[in-house]
């Protein structure tokens, strides 16, 4: 397949999932989620980054998905200045892990440090990052203002890319594209969506139409820094139909570069936690079809460990070298 010869970058996996290996417990249910450990156990955060790098990840995402001035103020009693400093120090943990990995390995390519920029709904602690219902009552300007302080802190600490992720609604993606174009004209970024099924965003908008809209608007705005659009924190079975709707009818030169880092396939509920591990299809089995549909970045999200990233990397390498 011609598309398999195009470069594919392997991302890391579920940060909170792999972090649990080092902190001895799962972190689901904490209002700060894994972001609490930036303050309480930064060494575990550092080790988690190293796990993914050693598994072959070419990108590591900072542990800032759930980090916010509001969250750190409410749950760690930190001032605004202290919260911003904690976000910056969290980025530095990723840098430290990358430096150590480069010193101890023979890889030539320098892994990217990507700032995890979770959605506005993540700090509300009401599950609305999986519904996008705040699009009905929160203005685009409010969302942009909320995102800006964390983005500024991450950029000041030094990141290669912004990973704007788990976005549940078209409105927030649109607001972020406009802000990135106007305020951060030299910063590369991706936008990945939360989807509720094989056709729609969490909020209900059509995925393929939204991706096309955002991609075309970026071109109209003259923004060449949007490197990919796609999905994360979704069931892997949704991905192929979602991607097929975007790219299947496009010629190779017209295809939109896609990004995917899904969950393991397990399903979460507050009452029972994660269920269905025995029914999961290993993510690496999906890799050929996703690449054939235009995926240029592939990794994992919730319930994916470093060992899963290692297998994804092996599958990608096999396709790139023609051994699969």
């Amino acid at each position: 397949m011609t598309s398999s010869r195009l470069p594919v970058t392997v991302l890391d996996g579920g940060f909170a999932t792999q972090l649990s290996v080092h902190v001895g417990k799962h972190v689901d249910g904490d209002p700060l989620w894994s972001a609490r450990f930036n303050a309480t156990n930064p060494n575990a955060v550092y080790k988690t980054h190293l796990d993914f790098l050693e598994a072959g990840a070419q990108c590591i995402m900072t542990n800032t998905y759930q980090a916010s001035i509001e969250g750190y103020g409410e749950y760690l009693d930190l001032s605004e200045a202290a919260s911003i400093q904690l976000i910056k120090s969290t980025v530095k943990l990723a840098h430290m892990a990358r430096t150590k990995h480069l010193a101890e390995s023979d890889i030539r390519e320098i892994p990217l440090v990507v700032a995890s920029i979770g959605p506005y709904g993540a700090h509300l602690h009401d599950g609305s990052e999986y519904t996008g219902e705040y699009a009905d009552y929160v203005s685009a300007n409010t969302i942009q203002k909320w995102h800006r302080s964390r983005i500024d802190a991450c950029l000041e600490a030094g990141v290669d890319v912004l990973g704007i992720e788990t976005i549940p609604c078209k409105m927030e993606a649109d607001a972020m594209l406009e802000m990135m174009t106007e305020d951060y004209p030299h910063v590369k970024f991706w936008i990945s969506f939360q989807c509720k099924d094989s056709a729609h965003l969490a909020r209900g908008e059509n995925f393929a139409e939204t991706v096309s809209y955002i991609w075309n608007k970026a071109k109209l705005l003259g923004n060449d820094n949007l490197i990919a659009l796609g999905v994360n924190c979704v069931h892997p079975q949704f991905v192929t139909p979602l991607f097929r709707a975007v790219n299947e009818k496009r010629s190779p030169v017209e295809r939109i570069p896609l990004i995917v880092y899904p969950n393991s396939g397990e399903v979460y509920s507050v009452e029972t936690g994660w269920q269905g591990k025995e029914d999961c299809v290993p993510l690496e089995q999906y890799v050929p079809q996703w690449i054939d549909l235009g995926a240029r970045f592939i990794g994992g999200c919730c319930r994916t460990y470093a060992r899963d990233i290692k297998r994804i990397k092996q599958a990608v390498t096999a396709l790139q070298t023609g051994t699969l």
Side-chain angles (χ1 to χ4, degrees):
M1 293 180 289
T2 302
S3 61
S4 67
R5 298 194 187 103
L6 294 173
V8 175
T9 300
V10 175
L11 309 174
D12 59 8
F15 196 90
T17 301
Q18 185 64 29
L19 178 71
S20 68
V21 172
H22 299 289
V23 299
K25 60 180 179 179
H26 294 294
V27 298
D28 298 317
D30 189 307
L32 290 177
W33 203 27
S34 61
R36 179 179 299 276
F37 294 89
N38 297 330
T40 62
N41 195 341
N43 190 50
V45 174
Y46 164 77
K47 288 180 177 178
T48 301
H49 286 310
L50 272 179
D51 291 343
F52 286 126
L53 288 168
E54 290 167 358
Q58 296 161 288
C59 279
I60 52 172
M61 297 191 73
T62 60
N63 188 32
T64 51
Y65 176 89
Q66 199 88 344
S68 68
I69 292 171
E70 293 86 348
Y72 281 151
E74 182 173 358
Y75 297 104
L76 290 182
D77 197 28
L78 296 182
S79 66
E80 179 175 346
S83 297
I84 290 172
Q85 186 55 46
L86 181 54
I87 291 171
K88 290 180 179 180
S89 66
T90 300
V91 174
K92 294 301 183 184
L93 294 172
H95 279 277
M96 290 167 57
R98 178 172 69 176
T99 298
K100 180 175 177 60
H101 181 66
L102 287 171
E104 296 181 351
S105 67
D106 57 0
I107 61 171
R108 298 178 182 178
E109 181 184 27
I110 299 176
L112 300 175
V113 171
V114 180
S116 171
I117 306 297
Y120 178 85
H123 89 287
L124 300 177
H125 314 302
D126 60 0
S128 59
E129 69 264 48
Y130 299 106
T131 65
E133 62 184 27
Y134 53 87
D136 292 341
Y137 60 85
V138 178
S139 70
N141 182 65
T142 296
I143 286 176
Q144 291 170 338
K145 183 179 179 181
W146 180 82
H147 277 290
R148 190 171 282 113
S149 58
R150 177 175 51 181
I151 288 175
D152 287 344
C154 288
L155 290 174
E156 288 174 23
V159 294
D160 302 302
V161 179
L162 298 185
I164 300 169
E165 57 179 348
T166 329
I167 301 300
C169 53
K170 179 180 177 181
M171 185 274 273
E172 186 166 11
D174 200 10
M176 295 301 286
L177 172 61
E178 292 189 355
M179 183 174 73
M180 293 304 298
T181 302
E182 295 171 10
D183 299 342
Y184 305 97
H186 304 297
V187 178
K188 294 187 180 300
F189 64 102
W190 73 61
I191 298 176
S192 59
F193 292 96
Q194 163 62 212
C195 291
K196 65 179 181 179
D197 56 30
S198 59
H200 302 93
L201 305 188
R203 188 64 185 142
E205 303 97 332
N206 181 274
F207 172 76
E209 291 175 2
T210 301
V211 166
S212 295
Y213 167 82
I214 295 293
W215 185 254
N216 291 335
K217 182 170 181 175
K219 298 308 176 188
L220 287 172
L221 292 172
N223 191 327
D224 295 324
N225 292 319
L226 177 58
I227 62 173
L229 290 161
V231 292
N232 75 288
C233 204
V234 299
H235 196 292
Q237 291 182 352
F238 295 163
V239 178
T240 295
L242 287 165
F243 282 9
R244 186 177 290 129
V246 173
N247 272 340
E248 190 171 46
K249 295 181 179 179
R250 296 176 185 266
S251 69
V253 295
E254 294 175 326
R255 285 190 159 190
I256 296 173
L258 299 175
I259 183 167
V260 51
Y261 44 118
N263 297 336
S264 65
E266 296 166 69
V267 178
Y268 181 78
S269 72
V270 175
E271 295 77 22
T272 62
W274 291 98
Q275 299 291 322
K277 182 177 181 179
E278 63 280 359
D279 299 322
C280 293
V281 175
L283 292 183
E284 65 271 16
Q285 293 188 21
Y286 294 100
V287 165
Q289 58 191 273
W290 292 345
I291 291 178
D292 194 39
L293 288 168
R296 298 292 162 256
F297 300 84
I298 302 177
C301 202
C302 295
R303 301 296 292 167
T304 63
Y305 291 85
R307 59 179 178 265
D308 299 299
I309 298 307
K310 184 175 182 177
R311 291 196 294 267
I312 289 173
K313 179 64 176 288
Q314 290 169 342
V316 169
T317 300
L319 278 170
Q320 297 289 293
T321 59
T323 58
L324 184 64

